[in-house]
Amino acid sequence: MQFHHAGIATDDIDGLVDLYGRLFDAPVVHREQFDGMTVVFLELEDGFFELLEAHDGGPIERYLEAHGPGIHHLAFEAADIEAALATARDCGVELIDAEPRPGAWGHDVAFLHPAATGGVLLEFVDR
Amino acid sequence: MQFHHAGIATDDIDGLVDLYGRLFDAPVVHREQFDGMTVVFLELEDGFFELLEAHDGGPIERYLEAHGPGIHHLAFEAADIEAALATARDCGVELIDAEPRPGAWGHDVAFLHPAATGGVLLEFVDR
């Protein structure tokens, strides 16, 4: 399993794109509107930041109201996402997505429930 | 800049070592007592989880009281950590560590203040 990205919830995506771009020398490689969010991917040497700004009452807006800005989730690339989900099930981990579903940037993704993983929202991305 | 590890604060490090080890097929590669914490590194294909359990009133204990278990920080390997800190200073980011200091597992590390980085506690690790 390889690191794919860290998802960061923000109420100032343009400011954070600028700051993280400079801090990490990380160019913008993708930007889209997705599921009530503005989503920007910045490229590191071996992964990405996924910056998430809410609008229209999407899930990130509710997250920001509850937690404020910060790290929202961690995503890892699985060679076989179905096998990774089966392992999670075997470990007794509640799945948010029982099957991979279309995520941002055209990825197939599946999230695990943070209550089952030590308070960490984990995402698997299909390699 | 390369992903190095995600730091996870937990009140059940043995349970999380077992769960994350199985979910990510990630073996334990280091365990130590450091700065009022039990610290365990699990190895991914291209990085690590750093699991952190508090004892003796260390900083993770205070974090858990305020936030509960979950993602505590993100660490990235810099080819030149002094240059990375200089860039952060140029960006107006407040530094927790103005100079690299000895961290867990013998790494030289420096943290940036989360109030200056969109609510994310960022750590630079010297490559």
Side-chain angles (χ1 to χ4, degrees):
Chain A
M1 200 87 82
Q2 288 182 345
F3 173 73
H4 187 268
H5 68 261
I8 312 291
T10 178
D11 51 11
D12 175 22
I13 198 161
D14 290 327
L16 220 57
V17 163
D18 181 57
L19 176 62
Y20 277 54
R22 291 170 68 191
L23 277 179
F24 292 95
D25 192 20
V28 172
V29 288
H30 185 73
R31 184 179 186 114
E32 73 176 311
Q33 304 298 313
F34 182 84
D35 193 20
M37 303 175 286
T38 300
V39 180
V40 173
F41 280 86
L42 299 178
E43 187 165 32
L44 296 160
E45 284 179 45
D46 59 348
F48 305 91
F49 284 110
E50 183 188 32
L51 306 183
L52 304 163
E53 186 182 70
H55 47 83
D56 304 330
I60 293 297
E61 194 162 286
R62 294 193 298 273
Y63 180 87
L64 287 169
E65 282 167 11
H67 303 281
I71 307 168
H72 178 260
H73 67 270
L74 296 175
F76 296 87
E77 258 189 299
D80 181 341
I81 192 171
E82 300 279 2
L85 290 172
T87 299
R89 254 185 230 105
D90 288 348
C91 291
V93 171
E94 187 184 346
L95 306 179
I96 294 176
D97 301 298
E99 298 292 329
R101 63 174 173 82
W105 206 4
H107 295 131
D108 283 335
V109 304
F111 284 85
L112 314 186
H113 201 291
T117 55
V120 180
L121 179 57
L122 292 170
E123 174 186 359
F124 293 152
V125 177
D126 197 350
R127 191 181 296 171
Chain B
M1 201 86 83
Q2 288 182 344
F3 173 73
H4 187 269
H5 67 261
I8 312 291
T10 178
D11 51 11
D12 175 22
I13 200 163
D14 291 326
L16 220 58
V17 163
D18 180 58
L19 176 62
Y20 277 55
R22 291 170 69 192
L23 277 179
F24 292 95
D25 192 19
V28 172
V29 288
H30 185 73
R31 183 179 186 116
E32 74 176 309
Q33 304 299 313
F34 183 84
D35 193 20
M37 303 174 287
T38 300
V39 180
V40 173
F41 281 86
L42 300 178
E43 187 165 30
L44 296 159
E45 283 179 44
D46 59 349
F48 305 90
F49 284 109
E50 183 188 33
L51 306 182
L52 304 163
E53 186 182 69
H55 48 85
D56 304 331
I60 293 297
E61 194 162 286
R62 294 194 297 274
Y63 181 87
L64 287 170
E65 282 166 10
H67 302 282
I71 306 167
H72 178 260
H73 67 270
L74 295 175
F76 296 87
E77 257 189 299
D80 181 341
I81 192 170
E82 300 278 4
L85 290 172
T87 299
R89 253 185 233 105
D90 289 346
C91 292
V93 171
E94 187 184 345
L95 306 179
I96 294 176
D97 302 297
E99 298 292 330
R101 63 173 174 82
W105 206 3
H107 295 131
D108 282 335
V109 305
F111 284 85
L112 313 186
H113 201 290
T117 55
V120 180
L121 179 57
L122 292 169
E123 174 185 1
F124 292 153
V125 178
D126 197 350
R127 191 180 298 172

